[in-house]
Structure formats: structure tokens, C-alpha cells
């Protein structure tokens, strides 16, 4: 835990420093100017005001010694080239002139005669504002004419008013007091900067602005002087100034440290609150962690069971993959068989289609056959009637054959006597007898016609008796029985 530090008051530090120098430091090297009581006691010269055209701050330490009317003692006056009263400052607050316009603040100038006071007048073209500070505090602020810049080429007078020509002093504006560290800065100082500069006349705060100090006090000390204007002890030495600077820096550091300490304490309180909140959150987190660990343990158990199931599932999967591979092979074989069957089916379909066509033809033929059958039935009846007639003819023929038996016997005798073969016997090397001729396909099983009779007539006597009869085995044997054996053609090989 941080311990609270005891801060030394600033007034105590100033007092300690003053006692230190009062006791052992009489070498006073920082100088002030003391102006006489006549109109001839002043400093005047023509400075370079160009850096101050857009912004300036006129600051100094002064001590009034004369009592005059309002806006009487003029500490400084600048008459610009062609412009009167560009800058005028009196010691009792009655004159705070810029661009010829006065800003009377005498009612707020509460410094007693014979007392050192710090004064600053600031202005900026961009802000268009004139500010007046007394001992670091703002006592007046107003707007200035827009578009107006500080003129150049004029004369600056210390200890009196410069007049319209910049060099004519007046008895009405005699300063007659003491002046120290008058500097003109080429910037519009902020209120905090003015406050820091006003803390003590022995500090060297002005030196920290470098080139922004366009008109420097140490250079004014070297300017020529009119009348009774002399250097006096300001009560500050170089070492004192440096120590005041260091003291100011130390005080600023202390203020910053104090502020930082307050901020640190606030930050510490905030961190403690955050820590308490974090501790509470940590406890919840630990509880959640314990619950999570328990969940993790249960999850691990479930995981192990799942891994076991997974191994079983993997084994089953491998078996299923093997079965799937076998099934794929069987599927390929089945596909091949299916293709073959499909081909056979297509062929069968083709055959079926052909059969259907044949069936249609058969139906057509059947219809035709039924028509023919109807026709054949009629013919059959006619044939039966013809058969009956043939039977009757056969009976008559049989009767006739019996009656002609005697005649056949006579024919046989006649045949046996036949001994000459007709000159143009039709037999050849294949048919060597008359009976062989009857066995040929031109005669056997057929009815003897008149044309066939002409062929046989030359070889067989009494053959006309057989006209109209079918050549059968019995008929041929009968014919051979009645021949006398001369059944061969002449010149036969047998």
C-alpha cells in the first residue's frame, strides 16, 4: 500500500530560499532600471517589430514611485510608422492602449505605490483579442479591430510617451519608477504561461522561450539612455534566478507528482475495485473450472465408451466394406448375367414378335383352313357319294373279273405263244424285262392310260384288257403268270 507523502507548501520553499540568499549571497548581478522624475529621463530606439505583427505579448516587472492622474505615468509607448499609440501602458492601469484604442482597467489595478507587480498585455491576429494580466491574473479581455496587424518602422520609448513623432517626451507622462525584465514575445502567451512567469521576478522563465523573445531585457539595458536613467540592484542574482528556475521546476514537478499521486491513488482504488471484481469473477471461474473438470471427467468416460463403440463400428465398417466389395463383384457378375438375360429376353421378344406374326398368319391360315374345311366337308360328302358309286363299280368290276377269268386264261395261253419282241422295245440297261417297265415310277401305282398303253402294247398282247386299271403288284404278277417266259427284250444280256 502506498504511503501518503507530506507536501511542503510553496510559500515555505520560497521562504527557505530567501533566507539562504539573504544569509550568504551579496553578489547581485541582475540589474533593474531606475527612471528620474523629469521629462528627459527615458530610453528610445527603433526596434525590429516585424516578428510581432501577427501576435505579441508585452510583459515586465515594475514599481511605481510617483502619484499622478489616471493614465499619467507611461512605462512604455510604441508609435508605429504612420500610426499613433500602437501600444501604450501606464503604471496604474488607466492606459492599456492597442491600435490607438484605450482599455481602462484602473478600477482593477489594486497595487500600492512602491510595490513590485507583474504586468502582461497579449494580442493575436487569429484570436482578435486583447488580454491584460496583473500578477498572473486576467483583469480584462476585449476584441480588437479585425484585419488589423501591428505596424512596423516606429519608435519604442521606455519611461515616457513617444509622442506623435515617436521621440517627443512629455511632462504629463513621466514614469519616474523602477522597471525590470521588460520583454516582448512574438506569440500570444496563454494564461498558464503568464501565471508561471509572474510567480517571482527572480526566475528565469523568460529565457525558456528562446527566439520567441523578440525584444530582450538584456538588450534594452545596453541601449543609450537620456537623462537620469540608471541601473539598480533588482534584488536577484544569476544564481538566485537559476535556483528560482529550478525551484519553479521542482514545484511544477511536485505539483505534477501530487497530481500523479492523486491519479495513482484513484487508479489504485479503481484497481482495488477491479481486483475485488476479478476475485469474485475468479471464484466463479474456479467454480466453473471445477464443474468443467467434472464435465471433462464425464466426457472422458463417455469418450472412452465412444472410442470402444467406434472401434466396434470401425470393425463392422470394415466387414461391411468387404461385404460391399463382394456385393459389388456379385453385382458386376449379376449385371453381366443380367445383360445376357436381357439379350436373351430381347431375342425372345423378337421371337415372340415373330411368333405373334406367325400366330397372326396361323390365325389367317386357320380361318382359311376353316373355310377350306367347310368346303372339304362338302367335297367329302361328295367323295363319299363317289366312293359309294366306286364300290358299286368295284362290285361290278369284280363280277366282271370273275366272268373274264376264263378269258384271262385264254389270254395267258396267247401270251405264252408270243415269241417276238417289238422292234422298238423301250427297255434299256436298267429295265431288262417288260415287268420291270411296269415297276418303273412312270407306271407302278398309276392308271394305265391310252398313251402308256401304246408303249406297252408292242410288248404285251391282250393288254387292252387292262386299260382303266391301276398298275399294282397283283396285276403285274398276274401278267407274268400268263406269259411264257419271253419277258425280255431281244439282245438282252441275260
Amino acid at each position: 500500500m502506498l504511503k501518503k507523502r507530506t507536501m511542503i507548501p510553496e510559500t515555505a520553499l520560497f521562504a527557505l530560499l530567501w533566507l539562504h540568499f539573504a544569509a550568504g549571497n551579496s553578489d547581485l548581478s541582475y540589474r533593474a532600471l531606475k527612471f528620474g522624475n523629469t521629462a528627459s529621463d527615458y530610453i528610445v530606439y527603433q526596434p525590429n517589430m516585424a516578428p510581432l505583427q501577427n501576435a505579441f505579448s508585452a510583459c515586465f516587472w515594475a514599481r511605481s514611485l510617483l502619484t499622478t492622474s489616471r493614465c499619467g505615468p507611461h512605462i512604455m509607448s510604441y508609435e508605429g510608422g504612420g500610426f499613433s499609440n500602437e501600444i501604450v501602458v501606464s503604471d496604474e492601469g488607466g492606459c492599456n492602449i492597442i491600435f490607438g484604442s484605450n482599455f481602462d482597467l484602473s478600477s482593477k489595478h489594486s497595487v500600492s505605490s512602491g510595490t513590485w507587480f507583474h504586468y502582461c498585455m497579449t494580442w493575436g491576429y487569429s484570436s482578435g483579442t486583447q488580454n491584460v494580466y496583473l500578477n498572473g491574473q486576467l483583469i480584462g479581455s476585449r476584441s480588437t479591430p479585425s484585419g488589423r496587424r501591428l505596424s512596423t518602422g516606429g519608435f519604442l520609448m521606455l519611461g515616457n510617451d513617444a509622442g506623435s513623432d515617436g521621440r517627443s517626451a512629455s511632462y504629463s507622462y513621466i514614469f519616474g519608477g523602477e522597471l525590470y525584465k521588460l520583454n516582448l514575445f512574438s506569440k500570444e502567451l496563454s494564461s498558464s504561461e503568464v501565471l508561471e512567469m509572474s510567480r517571482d521576478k527572480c526566475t528565469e522563465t523568460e529565457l525558456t522561450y528562446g527566439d520567441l523573445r523578440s525584444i530582450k531585457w538584456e538588450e534594452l539595458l545596453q541601449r543609450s539612455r537620456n537623462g537620469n536613467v540608471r541601473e539598480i540592484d533588482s534584488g536577484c542574482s544569476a544564481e538566485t534566478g537559476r535556483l528560482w528556475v529550478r525551484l519553479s521546476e521542482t514545484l511544477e514537478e511536485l505539483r505534477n507528482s501530487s497530481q500523479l499521486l492523486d491519479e495513482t491513488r484513484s487508479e489504485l482504488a479503481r484497481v482495488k475495485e477491479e481486483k475485488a471484481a476479478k476475485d469474485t469473477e475468479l471464484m466463479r471461474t474456479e467454480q466453473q473450472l471445477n464443474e468443467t473438470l467434472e464435465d471433462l471427467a464425464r466426457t472422458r468416460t463417455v469418450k472412452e465408451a465412444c472410442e470402444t463403440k467406434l472401434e466396434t463400428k470401425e470393425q463392422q465398417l470394415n466387414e461391411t466394406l468387404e461385404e460391399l466389395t463382394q456385393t459389388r463383384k456379385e453385382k458386376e457378375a449379376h449385371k453381366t448375367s443380367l445383360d445376357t438375360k436381357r439379350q436373351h429376353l430381347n431375342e425372345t421378344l423378337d421371337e415372340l414378335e415373330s411368333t405373334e406374326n406367325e400366330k397372326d398368319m396361323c390365325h389367317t391360315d386357320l380361318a382359311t383352313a376353316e373355310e377350306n374345311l367347310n368346303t372339304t366337308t362338302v367335297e367329302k360328302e361328295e367323295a363319299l357319294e363317289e366312293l359309294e358309286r366306286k364300290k358299286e363299280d368295284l362290285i361290278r368290276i369284280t363280277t366282271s373279273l370273275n366272268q373274264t377269268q376264263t378269258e384271262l386264261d385264254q389270254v395267258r395261253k396267247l401270251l405264252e405263244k408270243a415269241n417276238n419282241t417289238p422292234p422298238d422295245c423301250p427297255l434299256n440297261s436298267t429295265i431288262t424285262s417288260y415287268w420291270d417297265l411296269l415297276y418303273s415310277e412312270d407306271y407302278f401305282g398309276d392308271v394305265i392310260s391310252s398313251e402308256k398303253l401304246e408303249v406297252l402294247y408292242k410288248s404285251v398282247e391282250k393288254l387292252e384288257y387292262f386299260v382303266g386299271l391301276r398298275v399294282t403288284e397283283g396285276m403285274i404278277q398276274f401278267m407274268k403268270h400268263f406269259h411264257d417266259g419271253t419277258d425280255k427284250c431281244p439282245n438282252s444280256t441275260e
Side-chain angles (χ1 to χ4, degrees), residues 249-260:
E249 293 174 351
T250 302
L251 288 173
E252 183 65 24
E253 290 177 0
L254 287 174
R255 283 192 294 271
N256 293 337
S257 298
S258 177
Q259 181 179 359
L260 180 61

Side-chain angles (χ1 to χ4, degrees), residues 50-98:
L52 308 175
Q53 276 190 293
N54 295 317
F56 74 84
S57 296
C59 300
F60 56 81
W61 288 89
R63 185 166 66 160
S64 301
L65 300 176
L66 298 178
T67 301
T68 60
S69 62
R70 182 180 62 83
C71 200
H74 285 188
I75 297 175
M76 64 172 288
S77 173
Y78 173 66
E79 303 294 332
F83 295 94
S84 299
N85 298 324
E86 283 287 273
I87 302 174
V88 178
V89 178
S90 64
D91 69 350
E92 71 345 310
C95 284
N96 300 278
I97 301 173
I98 184 171

Side-chain angles (χ1 to χ4, degrees), residues 347-363:
E347 293 174 354
T348 302
L349 289 174
D350 293 339
E351 292 177 358
L352 180 59
E353 184 177 359
S354 177
T355 302
E356 289 291 333
N357 293 334
E358 291 178 357
K359 178 181 177 183
D360 292 338
M361 293 176 65
C362 286
H363 282 301

Side-chain angles (χ1 to χ4, degrees), residues 289-333:
L289 179 59
N290 293 330
E291 294 175 354
T292 303
L293 290 174
E294 294 176 358
D295 292 340
L296 180 60
R298 289 193 295 269
T299 302
R300 284 177 176 171
T301 304
V302 173
K303 178 186 175 185
E304 292 175 356
C306 289
E307 287 176 349
T308 304
K309 290 182 180 179
L310 181 61
E311 291 177 356
T312 304
K313 293 295 183 182
E314 287 180 350
Q315 183 178 359
Q316 293 175 353
L317 178 60
N318 292 331
E319 294 175 354
T320 303
L321 289 174
E322 292 177 357
E323 293 177 357
L324 180 60
T325 302
Q326 183 63 31
T327 302
R328 285 178 178 173
K329 293 179 180 179
E330 293 176 355
K331 179 181 177 183
E332 292 296 329

